[in-house]
Amino acid sequence: MTKEEEVLEPADGQMVRIYHCGPTVYKRPHLGNMRRFLFADFLRRALEANGFKIKEIMNITDVGHLTRDDIDEGEDKLEKEAREKKLSPQDVARRVTEQFLADLDALNIQRANRYPKASDHIAEMVEIIEKLIERGHAYQTDTGVYYDVTSFEGYGKLSGNSLDKIEAGSRVAVRGEKKHPADFALWKIDDPEHLQQWDSPWGRGYPGWHIECSAMSKKYLGDDIDIHTGGEDNKFPHHENEIAQSEGAGDEPFVRIWMHNAHLVLGEAKLAKSEGEQLTLDTLRERGYSPIAYRLLVFASHYRSKMNFSWSAMDEAAALLDSLKQLMRILKDAGADNEEASYEEEIVNGWRSALGKDLNTPEALAVLIKYMHWANSHLSKSNEEAGLIWATLMEMDKVLGVMEIMVKELSEETVPADIQALADKRIKARAERNFDEADRLRGEIEAKGYVLEDTDQGARVIRK
Ligand SMILES: [Zn+2]
């Protein structure tokens, strides 16, 4: 709102109440959408790492709201998808929601406290609309109830859009029954084609685009919330209208801090925009990437910067993930994961303070990479500090959220039987002083991607 960095001072002391605009569940979210949910996850974890407690809500838009504010010309994507698939809108919404939650899990995104559905909160929306009419912020016409933007003094304060500018830029066709072109629907009636309809004091119909977020944030987080997030495309009109509704119906400033993430841009010309909208986690898997590599790629850009997506950027993220995993493998082999070690405070403090500066994830990642390089060069001299390094990495991973996945992968990693058989043969060859054969076996093991490491207990096989 202020276009400045603000100190976070939650109303309830250390408890931060966060509202995230969630997905519209007509279609599986693409990678660009998932950036938004990763940003929300990094924010929540970074706040926790800095000592805050979190109450976090993300709505699921499962009612037929229109995707454009121009409600008379807009197309309801949920209903369109339902018609095309010959399913009910509820079935489409349920299937896409399940897929969405599975995608969150695959990206190791921690679950919010709740994912309330718009369709379960029609009564709460009606209540706010009644209040807005009562307070002179809304009016009824033959097609529904509209918000009167001229009645709300602060309209445009978030996006910088003044009412004059909006009026000058509007077409006559969008005005219809509205008093001002920026007036927006709170409730629509008289639309028998619409599949999802509910009773209301103004007739059978359905809610407008924005009212659900005002209703659900109030119900679960109260009248004023600490942080509200969304994509930069949500700023206008969606968030501007949320402010007009929530502050028009209540007495508190709606939100203390707004945070909007920038878009994903496709960095390779050969990736057309339409393809970008088709990119999902399955596209990554088909190309051999772990979803976690995408998590790391998103972490590498600051949320307010446009993020370039390309296959070469994915390769770089995957390579970083590999070297991190190799370091962890060495540490684990040294028994580091069983150590009760404390972490290196100076490193972890540097990591946390980078995250505390407007969620500066690229700066935090630089701290981690520098530490990885140090750890790699340090390990060759001594394994004694392995436990300390492990603990330090794991502390940083509370926000990064990729190493905990690798720990699971590493614990499932065993040396394949054929490689172990070659290693056993080599031990036998050495015992028989057949060194040519032992060297040949070592070469064969290495050609298969494993190395032999001589330790006090004898030779050990590890993955290259
Ligand atoms: Zn919203």
Side-chain angles (χ1 to χ4, degrees), residues 19-22 36 59 61 209-210 212-214 228-229 234 238-239 242:
Y19 187 87
H20 307 289
C21 284
R36 178 143 66 89
N59 67 304
T61 297
W209 175 7
H210 317 288
E212 65 177 83
C213 288
S214 287
H228 193 313
T229 79
N234 289 144
H238 183 53
H239 288 163
E242 279 187 37

Side-chain angles (χ1 to χ4, degrees), residues 24-26 60-68 71 74-80 89-90 93 118-119 122 125 188 191 194-198 205-210 212:
T24 301
V25 285
Y26 69 97
I60 301 278
T61 297
D62 67 339
V63 305
H65 82 51
L66 299 161
T67 48
R68 285 191 289 158
I71 206 152
E75 169 186 63
D76 186 319
K77 292 194 174 174
L78 179 59
E79 298 220 337
K80 181 170 176 262
Q90 292 87 330
S119 62
I122 301 295
M125 296 185 221
K188 286 289 284 180
D191 185 358
H194 205 88
L195 297 172
Q196 289 174 291
Q197 307 251 6
W198 293 267
Y206 54 95
W209 175 7
H210 317 288
E212 65 177 83

Side-chain angles (χ1 to χ4, degrees), residues 36-56:
R36 178 143 66 89
F37 307 123
L38 281 165
F39 152 58
D41 187 53
F42 296 142
L43 174 64
R44 173 244 176 92
R45 289 170 177 251
L47 288 168
E48 282 174 334
N50 278 285
F52 291 101
K53 301 235 175 301
I54 305 296
K55 189 163 181 200
E56 184 188 35

Side-chain angles (χ1 to χ4, degrees), residues 167-217:
E167 182 146 37
S170 78
R171 290 165 295 134
V172 180
V174 305
R175 195 183 283 249
E177 293 188 298
K178 297 191 283 188
K179 293 186 196 166
H180 188 281
D183 288 354
F184 55 91
L186 297 166
W187 189 267
K188 286 289 284 180
I189 51 169
D190 195 27
D191 185 358
E193 292 292 294
H194 205 88
L195 297 172
Q196 289 174 291
Q197 307 251 6
W198 293 267
D199 288 326
S200 83
W202 316 284
R204 210 165 156 72
Y206 54 95
W209 175 7
H210 317 288
I211 192 71
E212 65 177 83
C213 288
S214 287
M216 289 187 269
S217 62

